[in-house]
Coordinates of all heavy atoms in Angstrom, one line a residue:
E217 N 10.5 -17.9 9.5 CA 11.2 -19.2 9.3 C 11.8 -19.4 8.0 O 12.9 -20.0 7.8 CB 10.2 -20.3 9.7 CG 9.9 -20.3 11.3 CD 8.6 -21.0 11.5 OE1 8.1 -21.7 10.6 OE2 8.2 -21.1 12.7
R218 N 11.0 -19.1 6.9 CA 11.3 -19.5 5.6 C 12.2 -18.5 5.0 O 13.0 -18.8 4.1 CB 10.0 -19.7 4.7 CG 9.1 -20.7 5.3 CD 9.4 -22.2 4.9 NE 8.5 -23.1 5.3 CZ 8.2 -24.1 4.7 NH1 8.7 -24.3 3.4 NH2 7.3 -25.1 5.3
H219 N 12.0 -17.2 5.2 CA 12.6 -16.2 4.5 C 13.1 -15.1 5.6 O 12.6 -13.9 5.5 CB 11.8 -15.5 3.5 CG 11.3 -16.4 2.4 ND1 12.2 -17.0 1.5 CD2 10.1 -16.9 2.1 CE1 11.5 -17.8 0.7 NE2 10.2 -17.8 1.2
P220 N 13.9 -15.4 6.4 CA 14.3 -14.5 7.5 C 14.8 -13.1 7.1 O 14.6 -12.1 7.6 CB 15.3 -15.1 8.3 CG 16.0 -16.3 7.3 CD 14.7 -16.7 6.6
E221 N 15.4 -13.0 5.8 CA 15.9 -11.8 5.3 C 14.8 -10.9 4.8 O 14.8 -9.7 5.0 CB 16.8 -12.0 4.0 CG 16.1 -12.4 2.7 CD 15.7 -13.9 2.8 OE1 15.7 -14.7 3.8 OE2 15.0 -14.3 1.7
L222 N 13.7 -11.5 4.3 CA 12.4 -10.7 4.0 C 11.7 -10.2 5.2 O 11.2 -9.1 5.3 CB 11.6 -11.5 3.1 CG 12.0 -11.9 1.7 CD1 11.0 -12.7 1.0 CD2 12.4 -10.6 1.0
Y223 N 11.7 -11.0 6.3 CA 11.2 -10.6 7.5 C 11.8 -9.3 8.1 O 11.2 -8.4 8.6 CB 11.2 -11.8 8.6 CG 10.3 -11.5 9.9 CD1 9.1 -12.0 9.7 CD2 10.9 -11.0 10.9 CE1 8.4 -11.7 11.0 CE2 10.1 -10.9 12.0 CZ 8.8 -11.1 12.1 OH 8.0 -11.0 13.2
E224 N 13.2 -9.5 8.0 CA 14.0 -8.3 8.5 C 13.7 -7.1 7.7 O 13.7 -5.9 8.1 CB 15.5 -8.7 8.5 CG 15.9 -9.6 9.4 CD 15.5 -9.3 10.9 OE1 15.8 -8.1 11.2 OE2 15.0 -10.1 11.7
K225 N 13.5 -7.2 6.3 CA 13.1 -6.0 5.4 C 11.8 -5.5 5.9 O 11.6 -4.3 5.9 CB 13.2 -6.5 3.9 CG 14.6 -6.8 3.4 CD 14.5 -7.0 2.0 CE 14.0 -5.9 1.1 NZ 14.2 -6.3 -0.4
A226 N 10.9 -6.4 6.2 CA 9.6 -5.9 6.6 C 9.7 -5.1 7.9 O 9.0 -4.1 8.1 CB 8.6 -7.1 6.8
K227 N 10.5 -5.7 8.7 CA 10.8 -4.8 10.1 C 11.3 -3.5 9.8 O 11.1 -2.5 10.4 CB 11.7 -5.6 10.9 CG 11.0 -6.9 11.6 CD 12.0 -7.7 12.2 CE 12.8 -7.1 13.5 NZ 13.7 -8.1 14.1
G228 N 12.2 -3.4 8.8 CA 12.8 -2.1 8.4 C 11.7 -1.1 8.0 O 11.9 0.0 8.3
Y229 N 10.7 -1.5 7.3 CA 9.6 -0.6 7.0 C 9.0 -0.1 8.2 O 8.4 1.1 8.2 CB 8.6 -1.3 6.1 CG 9.2 -1.4 4.6 CD1 9.3 -2.7 4.1 CD2 9.4 -0.3 3.8 CE1 9.7 -2.9 2.8 CE2 9.8 -0.6 2.5 CZ 10.0 -1.8 1.9 OH 10.4 -2.0 0.7
E230 N 8.9 -0.8 9.3 CA 8.2 -0.3 10.5 C 8.9 0.8 11.2 O 8.4 1.5 11.9 CB 8.0 -1.5 11.4 CG 7.0 -2.5 11.0 CD 6.8 -3.4 12.1 OE1 7.7 -3.8 12.9 OE2 5.7 -4.0 12.3
Q231 N 10.3 1.1 10.9 CA 11.0 2.1 11.5 C 10.5 3.5 10.9 O 10.7 4.6 11.7 CB 12.4 1.9 11.2 CG 13.0 0.6 11.7 CD 12.6 0.3 13.2 OE1 12.8 1.2 14.0 NE2 12.1 -0.8 13.4
G232 N 10.0 3.4 9.7 CA 9.5 4.7 9.0 C 10.4 5.7 8.9 O 11.7 5.5 9.0
K233 N 10.0 6.9 8.5 CA 11.0 8.0 8.3 C 10.4 9.2 9.0 O 9.3 9.3 9.2 CB 11.2 8.3 6.8 CG 12.0 7.2 6.1 CD 12.3 7.6 4.6 CE 13.3 6.6 4.0 NZ 13.5 6.9 2.5
N234 N 11.4 10.2 9.3 CA 10.9 11.4 9.8 C 10.2 11.1 11.2 O 9.3 11.8 11.6 CB 10.0 12.3 9.0 CG 10.6 12.6 7.6 OD1 11.8 12.9 7.6 ND2 9.8 12.5 6.5
G235 N 10.6 10.2 11.9 CA 10.2 9.9 13.3 C 8.7 9.1 13.3 O 8.3 8.8 14.4
R236 N 8.3 9.0 12.2 CA 7.0 8.1 12.1 C 7.1 6.7 12.2 O 8.0 6.1 11.5 CB 6.1 8.6 10.9 CG 5.6 9.8 10.8 CD 4.8 10.2 9.6 NE 5.6 10.0 8.4 CZ 5.1 10.5 7.2 NH1 3.9 10.8 7.0 NH2 5.9 10.4 6.2
R237 N 6.5 5.9 13.1 CA 6.5 4.6 13.1 C 5.3 3.9 12.7 O 4.2 4.5 12.7 CB 6.9 4.2 14.7 CG 8.2 4.7 15.0 CD 8.6 4.2 16.4 NE 8.6 2.8 16.5 CZ 9.8 2.1 16.3 NH1 10.8 2.8 15.9 NH2 9.8 0.7 16.4
Y238 N 5.4 2.7 12.4 CA 4.3 1.9 11.8 C 4.4 0.6 12.1 O 5.4 0.0 12.4 CB 4.3 2.0 10.3 CG 3.2 1.4 9.5 CD1 2.0 1.9 9.3 CD2 3.4 0.0 9.1 CE1 1.0 1.3 8.6 CE2 2.4 -0.6 8.3 CZ 1.2 0.0 8.2 OH 0.4 -0.7 7.4
T239 N 3.3 -0.2 12.4 CA 3.3 -1.7 12.5 C 2.4 -2.3 11.4 O 1.3 -1.9 11.2 CB 2.9 -2.1 14.0 OG1 1.5 -1.7 14.1 CG2 3.8 -1.5 15.0
W240 N 3.0 -3.4 10.8 CA 2.2 -4.1 9.8 C 1.0 -4.8 10.6 O -0.1 -5.0 9.9 CB 3.1 -5.2 9.1 CG 4.1 -4.7 8.3 CD1 5.5 -4.7 8.5 CD2 4.0 -4.1 7.0 NE1 6.1 -4.0 7.5 CE2 5.2 -3.7 6.6 CE3 2.9 -3.7 6.2 CZ2 5.6 -3.1 5.3 CZ3 3.1 -3.2 5.0 CH2 4.4 -2.8 4.6
V241 N 1.2 -5.4 11.8 CA 0.2 -6.0 12.5 C -0.4 -5.1 13.5 O 0.2 -4.4 14.2 CB 0.8 -7.2 13.3 CG1 -0.4 -8.0 14.0 CG2 1.5 -8.2 12.3
D242 N -1.8 -5.0 13.4 CA -2.4 -3.9 14.3 C -2.1 -4.2 15.8 O -2.3 -5.2 16.3 CB -3.9 -4.0 14.0 CG -4.6 -2.8 14.7 OD1 -4.0 -1.7 15.0 OD2 -5.8 -3.0 15.0
G243 N -1.4 -3.1 16.3 CA -1.1 -3.2 17.9 C 0.2 -3.9 18.2 O 0.6 -3.9 19.3
R244 N 0.8 -4.5 17.3 CA 2.1 -5.3 17.6 C 3.1 -5.0 16.4 O 2.8 -5.0 15.3 CB 1.9 -6.8 17.5 CG 0.8 -7.3 18.6 CD 0.8 -8.8 18.6 NE 0.0 -9.4 19.6 CZ -1.2 -9.9 19.4 NH1 -1.8 -9.7 18.3 NH2 -2.0 -10.3 20.5
S245 N 4.4 -4.9 16.9 CA 5.5 -4.8 16.0 C 5.9 -6.2 15.6 O 5.6 -7.2 16.2 CB 6.6 -4.1 16.6 OG 7.3 -4.9 17.7
L246 N 6.7 -6.3 14.5 CA 7.2 -7.6 14.2 C 8.3 -8.1 15.1 O 8.4 -9.3 15.2 CB 7.9 -7.5 12.8 CG 6.8 -7.2 11.6 CD1 7.6 -7.3 10.2 CD2 5.6 -8.1 11.6

Side-chain angles (χ1 to χ4, degrees):
E217 294 164 2
R218 301 284 182 136
H219 302 290
E221 74 288 357
L222 295 181
Y223 192 88
E224 291 303 312
K225 285 182 71 173
K227 286 169 65 175
Y229 287 113
E230 289 191 328
Q231 303 308 310
K233 290 188 175 180
N234 303 321
R236 288 182 296 188
R237 294 183 66 82
Y238 177 89
T239 57
W240 293 109
V241 181
D242 193 20
R244 294 188 176 97
S245 71
L246 293 187

